Amino acid sequence: MAQHWTHRGGGWLPPQSPRPGVIPLRPLGPGEILGGALTTLGRYGGRLFGALLLGQLAGLLVLAAVAGAATLASLTRTAGSRVFVYTLVPATALFLLFGWALATALAAALLRPAVLGRPVTSLGLLRAAAPRVPAVFGARLLALLAATGPAAAALAAGLPPLAVLPLAPVALWLGVLFALAPTAAGYEALGPVAALRRSARLVRGAWWRTLGITVPAGALALGAAYAVPLGFGVLGALLAPAVLLTLPQPASGLLYMDRLLRREPEVTPG
């Protein structure tokens, strides 16, 4: 890439990395990742939220159909209410995990056009992300089980919480090690287990860097989810879960892209 002349002090500047989209195509600093995530939300946030809400609406209709069918299938009013509760609670938990996986799959689908500066639509994002939701869901669930499984098993075995406390650093280490697995499942079309291996390979040697980027992104999402209902009332309260699910995802995606560019410089977003 050719050098270019500057009049500020005179002399030749080093070649600049191309920047067709929200980030320059080179390894990034933490500030560039968080700044690029905010730029991504500024340019594509409306389409990202729109795709997430459309997908969640479809999931909500399925959830309502399952709970209603289970209730109608019961024979008595008492049994019906019991079946409704027993069906609704796990279905709601699955719906929340589905929303989390959908937000990650959408952010992974947005990653390439955002980095390359290409236009997208909500429906286009949803079509691109939908086939990857099961793999992202599996990767997200496996990462969650890997991080919390040992402590949950210890509590289930009857150990007191204070005895389980030493497992907290292990849970944190595993959680960060597998933090990029859902994005890898969405972006590289990997299966859940392969995505966990991919994340471990990319995070190795950059554990503290990964933690230092994901924590501020999560804190920003929590703050925004708290502020939206205060500013927009009932509408804000309805949008707050979508905000909480969506805001950390662009930062995770750009962190994933940064790790790719550092570990595998020959890989390009195109």
Side-chain angles (χ1 to χ4, degrees):
M1 188 182 301
Q3 294 179 328
H4 62 280
W5 179 263
T6 174
H7 294 289
R8 290 179 294 180
W12 293 95
L13 289 178
Q16 301 296 307
S17 300
R19 182 171 180 160
V22 296
I23 56 169
L25 299 182
R26 55 168 172 74
L28 307 170
E32 289 176 312
I33 292 175
L34 294 173
L38 293 176
T39 302
T40 300
L41 290 172
R43 292 185 187 179
Y44 301 99
R47 281 149 284 183
L48 186 59
F49 279 113
L52 178 63
L53 293 175
L54 285 174
Q56 284 186 311
L57 178 59
L60 190 60
L61 292 175
V62 172
L63 173 64
V66 169
T71 305
L72 291 175
S74 60
L75 299 177
T76 66
R77 181 178 301 175
T78 303
S81 61
R82 188 166 57 246
V83 170
F84 180 82
V85 172
Y86 290 162
T87 304
L88 188 62
V89 171
T92 301
L94 286 175
F95 174 73
L96 293 175
L97 284 173
F98 162 77
W100 199 8
L102 177 61
T104 306
L106 288 169
L110 178 61
L111 190 54
R112 184 174 284 106
V115 169
L116 296 178
R118 295 173 180 169
V120 294
T121 64
S122 293
L123 287 177
L125 273 179
L126 195 56
R127 281 195 297 268
R132 300 309 309 157
V133 170
V136 173
F137 182 92
R140 180 73 72 184
L141 189 59
L142 285 180
L144 190 61
L145 289 174
T148 62
L155 290 173
L159 292 178
L162 285 179
V164 180
L165 194 59
L167 292 175
V170 178
L172 177 63
W173 179 74
L174 288 173
V176 174
L177 187 68
F178 297 136
L180 302 182
T183 302
Y187 187 80
E188 295 189 53
L190 299 175
V193 176
L196 261 65
R197 293 197 195 101
R198 184 67 161 148
S199 178
R201 182 176 183 275
L202 291 174
V203 173
R204 193 173 295 121
W207 190 93
W208 286 106
R209 175 185 174 84
T210 303
L211 178 68
I213 292 171
T214 53
V215 168
L220 177 64
L222 284 172
Y226 176 77
V228 166
L230 298 179
F232 297 94
V234 175
L235 178 61
L238 294 174
L239 291 176
V243 171
L244 186 60
L245 288 172
T246 305
L247 284 187
Q249 307 309 325
S252 295
L254 294 180
L255 175 60
Y256 166 82
M257 184 61 64
D258 171 68
R259 296 308 303 157
L260 275 183
L261 292 172
R262 288 177 184 273
R263 295 297 297 269
E264 301 170 6
E266 72 279 2
V267 175
T268 59

